Amino acid sequence: LAAEWLSRDESFWQGIFRLVAAHRLVVNSSGLKITQYWSPEPVPDFDYANVDEFAAHYRWLLEDTTSRLSRSSAALGCEVSGGLDSSALYAVADNLQKQGRFLSPALRGYTLAFEGDVEANELAYSRAVARHLGCNIQEVIPTRTSVDWCVQFARRYRQFVPYPNGLMALDIRKAAQRDGCRALLVGVGGDEW
């Protein structure tokens, strides 16, 4: 249930719906009306001469997007699991910083340290990224929360707690905040796209 989105408007409660992204709800004496106010531009049909041309364009898009996301007056944190998504973002951000094209004054990397848990431990990968880039990626022990903490979170924010991966990374967010980071880049969603 935590990460499965089967409907854009349904919720866990009967008769309670979410407002779909890019839609507005207007209620007046005529009743309730939902309209769409925005939709993404159609994806252009690119015609690449070869794979190298496609790769060059993809790299440019990744660098441009990462550069735009680095706009911050404080250090920018980046989660680095060692997987392709977060490692690519961190490597591109590190490269942009070395070229002087990074808009934040500093870049900090963070990874979860699942020492002793063979199935979840990705430290070998994130450490390989750090060695390759010649930088330090701070290893953070995954956050453990109690059921009581989850209940208090739900009461305070009036929403379900984040999915398990989000909860485990709470101490990454705390470490990034302590290090002066005001924003955190993550690779979530890359696999789905």
Side-chain angles (χ1 to χ4, degrees):
L1 289 176
E4 291 294 321
W5 295 101
L6 305 176
S7 170
R8 295 174 67 205
D9 63 351
E10 292 177 300
S11 74
F12 286 117
W13 297 277
Q14 185 175 6
I16 306 290
F17 295 90
R18 293 187 299 229
L19 187 60
V20 175
H23 284 71
R24 72 172 63 88
L25 175 124
V26 175
V27 180
N28 58 27
S29 60
S30 302
L32 181 142
K33 184 177 179 183
I34 297 175
T35 57
Q36 184 172 358
Y37 64 84
W38 180 83
S39 64
E41 295 178 18
V43 176
D45 185 20
F46 294 108
D47 188 22
Y48 299 105
N50 53 48
V51 173
D52 292 336
E53 207 174 276
F54 169 79
H57 185 239
Y58 182 86
R59 182 177 193 83
W60 177 84
L61 285 171
L62 186 58
E63 287 177 348
D64 183 58
T65 302
T66 304
S67 176
R68 290 170 189 253
L69 291 173
S70 74
R71 190 176 304 126
S72 175
S73 61
L76 183 72
C78 189
E79 288 185 7
V80 187
S81 69
L84 294 177
D85 303 332
S86 62
S87 297
L89 278 175
Y90 187 68
V92 167
D94 181 71
N95 190 45
L96 289 170
Q97 186 181 40
K98 288 172 181 167
Q99 294 175 8
R101 296 174 41 214
F102 196 65
L103 303 176
S104 172
L107 175 65
R108 311 255 191 270
Y110 303 89
T111 191
L112 289 175
F114 287 96
E115 304 240 35
D117 187 342
V118 177
E119 293 195 24
N121 191 359
E122 297 178 337
L123 285 176
Y125 304 115
S126 57
R127 287 173 180 167
V129 170
R131 274 191 311 277
H132 176 73
L133 298 174
C135 61
N136 180 47
I137 297 174
Q138 191 177 142
E139 297 175 2
V140 179
I141 295 171
T143 307
R144 297 186 189 275
T145 58
S146 66
V147 171
D148 184 56
W149 183 94
C150 295
V151 169
Q152 293 303 321
F153 179 95
R155 282 190 180 133
R156 180 176 183 185
Y157 298 107
R158 302 283 189 239
Q159 65 181 16
F160 291 107
V161 296
Y163 58 95
N165 287 356
L167 284 176
M168 290 184 295
L170 286 177
D171 283 338
I172 282 182
R173 283 148 178 76
K174 289 177 186 175
Q177 185 179 28
R178 274 192 310 271
D179 293 343
C181 297
R182 298 284 309 257
L184 192 65
L185 282 177
V186 298
V188 174
D191 292 333
E192 291 80 3
W193 278 101

